[in-house]
């Protein structure tokens, strides 16, 4: 396999295509095919953070004394599950960047990969603060053991693996990218709502602050990968077929049903968020990834975020100058909510 040339003095700096094209290998940000890639690169670097910015002292007290057994279990299992997804994301981005012709797109994909590694480390920070060794083992093994979670992830991982095994196939690349959009935009982002629901009752604020930093990154990733999907369809019209569009819509619907089945199990016994609220949110998130990727909305009746508290507790304060990439992504707003003093992160 010959994915790209590190240098080719015979051709232009501007890539002819993002995959399987030609480019000199010189990344001249003033001479790129898709200028939005520079905007995205600046936006992603602008969000740089590390987990030490968050203090978890108060969270530890809450975890031990204010959470129910069920709430603790869900906290543990979800952090384990999120670690699994970020671990996969980290590796997937490595391969995708490797197969990319356009150095500006590759630079963005590599940056996403690095952030996914940071996210995995952040869950490590949460779990190593709250959980004992036995709980942590249970949490990190849950993705290998819980049937509904395994079932939910199965097809996503199969499509990504198909591309890993055969990275020359454009059809497999398209399907892996589609699976990745669901993984990031629905499976990750949906699970974050649980942490927002705890913050809603003034518990685990530090954990939720960290989740909101991660979520902000995922918002950008969804825009980047949605854009890449649109470019892929433009540059490879043979992929932009009725058959593939039908596959896309059916696949997304299947993934949403599996997410709802998993949610009904994992959020059973949780009082701060109802299954109906969660289902509405998942459908809303699905529409967002569809809009970003230029796909028709799968749930047109769920265009708006119905549970406004998800926005209230699920947003971090925007930096001055607004590095957000698309303002409608989460109906972005500046929200402050009360938290104990001494928290290191300035909300
Ligand atoms: Fe991530
Ligand atoms: Fe991501």
């Amino acid at each position: 396999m010959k994915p790209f040339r590190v240098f080719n003095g015979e051709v232009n700096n501007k890539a002819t295509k993002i995959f399987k094209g030609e480019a000199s290998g010189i990344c001249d940000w003033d001479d790129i095919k898709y200028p939005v890639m520079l905007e995205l690169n600046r936006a992603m670097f602008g969000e740089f953070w590390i987990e030490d910015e968050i203090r978890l002292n108060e969270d530890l007290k809450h975890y031990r004394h204010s959470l129910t057994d069920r709430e603790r279990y869900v906290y543990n299992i979800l952090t384990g599950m999120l670690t699994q997804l970020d671990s996969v994301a980290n590796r997937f981005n490595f391969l995708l960047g490797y197969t990319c012709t356009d150095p500006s797109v590759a630079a963005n994909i590599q940056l996403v990969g690095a952030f996914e590694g940071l996210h995995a480390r952040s869950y490590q920070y949460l779990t190593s603060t709250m959980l004992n060794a036995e709980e942590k083992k249970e949490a990190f093994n849950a993705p290998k053991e819980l049937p509904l979670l395994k079932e939910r992830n199965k097809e996503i991982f199969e499509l990504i693996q198909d591309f890993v095994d055969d990275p020359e196939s454009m059809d497999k690349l398209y399907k892996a990218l589609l699976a990745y959009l669901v993984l990031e935009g629905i499976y990750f982002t949906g699970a974050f709502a649980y942490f927002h629901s705890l913050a809603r009752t003034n518990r685990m604020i530090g954990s939720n602050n960290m989740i909101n930093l991660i979520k902000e990154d995922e918002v950008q990733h969804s825009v980047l990968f949605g854009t890449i999907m649109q470019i892929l369809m433009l540059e490879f019209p043979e992929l932009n077929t009725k058959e593939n569009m039908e596959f896309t819509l059916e696949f997304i619907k299947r993934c949403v049903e599996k997410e709802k089945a998993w949610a009904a199990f994992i959020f059973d016994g949780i009082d701060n968020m109802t299954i109906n609220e969660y289902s509405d949110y998942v459908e809303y998130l699905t529409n967002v990834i569809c809009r970003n990727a230029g796909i028709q909305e799968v749930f047109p009746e769920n265009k708006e975020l119905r549970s406004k508290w998800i926005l209230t507790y699920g947003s971090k304060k925007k930096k001055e100058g607004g590095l957000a990439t698309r303002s409608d992504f989460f109906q972005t707003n500046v929200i402050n909510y009360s938290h104990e003093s001494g928290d290191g992160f300035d909300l």
Side-chain angles (χ1 to χ4, degrees), residues 91-92 95 159-167 176:
R91 302 299 309 270
F92 169 71
L95 179 67
L159 291 183
I160 291 176
Q161 189 64 47
D162 284 348
F163 168 60
V164 172
D165 293 342
D166 183 13

Side-chain angles (χ1 to χ4, degrees), residues 82 85-87 89-90 112 115-120 123 180 183-184 188 192 214-215 217-218 221:
L82 290 166
L85 297 186
D86 261 319
S87 308
N90 183 256
V112 170
F115 271 105
E116 305 304 8
L118 171 67
H119 297 168
Y123 300 125
Y180 190 67
L183 183 153
E184 292 216 298
F188 266 120
F192 296 159
I214 295 171
K215 185 174 171 182
D217 293 340
E218 301 305 348
H221 301 176

Side-chain angles (χ1 to χ4, degrees), residues 45-267:
F45 267 113
E47 295 295 339
F48 180 77
W49 56 277
I50 52 169
E51 68 273 31
D52 305 36
E53 293 172 36
I54 306 285
R55 295 199 195 124
L56 297 173
N57 315 25
E58 288 300 313
D59 281 42
L60 186 56
K61 287 184 211 158
H62 290 154
Y63 183 84
R64 287 184 178 157
H65 306 298
S66 306
L67 296 194
T68 64
D69 285 345
R70 182 68 191 174
E71 285 173 334
R72 262 193 293 274
Y73 174 79
V74 176
Y75 183 99
N76 298 357
I77 299 301
L78 288 188
T79 39
M81 181 275 281
L82 290 166
T83 302
Q84 178 204 28
L85 297 186
D86 261 319
S87 308
V88 171
N90 183 256
R91 302 299 309 270
F92 169 71
N93 279 288
F94 174 80
L95 179 67
L96 193 67
Y98 175 70
T99 61
C100 191
T101 312
D102 187 318
S104 66
V105 179
N108 281 340
I109 292 170
Q110 285 152 5
L111 193 51
V112 170
F115 271 105
E116 305 304 8
L118 171 67
H119 297 168
R121 212 176 67 194
S122 303
Y123 300 125
Q124 171 78 18
Y125 179 49
L126 293 183
T127 50
S128 63
T129 305
M130 313 296 162
L131 281 58
N132 63 32
E134 199 181 315
E135 289 164 337
K136 179 152 184 184
K137 201 169 159 197
E138 184 191 23
F140 279 58
N141 279 331
K144 295 189 247 170
E145 286 161 6
L146 295 179
L148 286 168
L149 183 54
K150 281 165 64 181
E151 175 57 28
R152 185 200 73 171
N153 291 342
K154 190 168 173 279
E155 197 174 357
I156 297 270
F157 290 160
E158 278 172 1
L159 291 183
I160 291 176
Q161 189 64 47
D162 284 348
F163 168 60
V164 172
D165 293 342
D166 183 13
E168 288 219 66
S169 162
M170 291 309 292
D171 186 59
K172 288 175 184 170
L173 189 156
Y174 140 69
K175 285 180 178 155
L177 197 56
L178 177 64
Y180 190 67
L181 283 171
V182 171
L183 183 153
E184 292 216 298
I186 303 176
Y187 292 174
F188 266 120
T189 310
F192 296 159
Y194 175 67
F195 297 86
H196 310 331
S197 81
L198 293 175
R200 191 186 183 197
T201 52
N202 217 22
R203 295 174 300 164
M204 312 304 284
I205 302 290
S207 302
N208 190 52
N209 287 348
M210 180 173 290
I211 290 293
N212 283 337
L213 289 173
I214 295 171
K215 185 174 171 182
E216 189 75 14
D217 293 340
E218 301 305 348
V219 168
Q220 295 178 326
H221 301 176
S222 181
V223 173
L224 171 66
F225 286 105
T227 306
I228 291 175
M229 180 63 97
Q230 294 196 48
I231 294 172
L232 196 65
M233 292 300 145
L234 189 75
E235 292 187 349
F236 294 86
E238 64 272 27
L239 291 174
N240 195 3
T241 61
K242 192 166 170 280
E243 194 189 7
N244 274 352
M245 189 45 71
E246 279 167 9
F247 173 84
T248 296
L249 297 176
E250 288 309 311
F251 173 74
I252 291 175
K253 281 183 202 159
R254 260 197 318 279
C255 291
V256 169
E257 285 317 304
K258 286 178 185 176
E259 174 65 9
K260 287 179 182 174
W262 157 244
F265 163 76
I266 194 68
F267 296 136

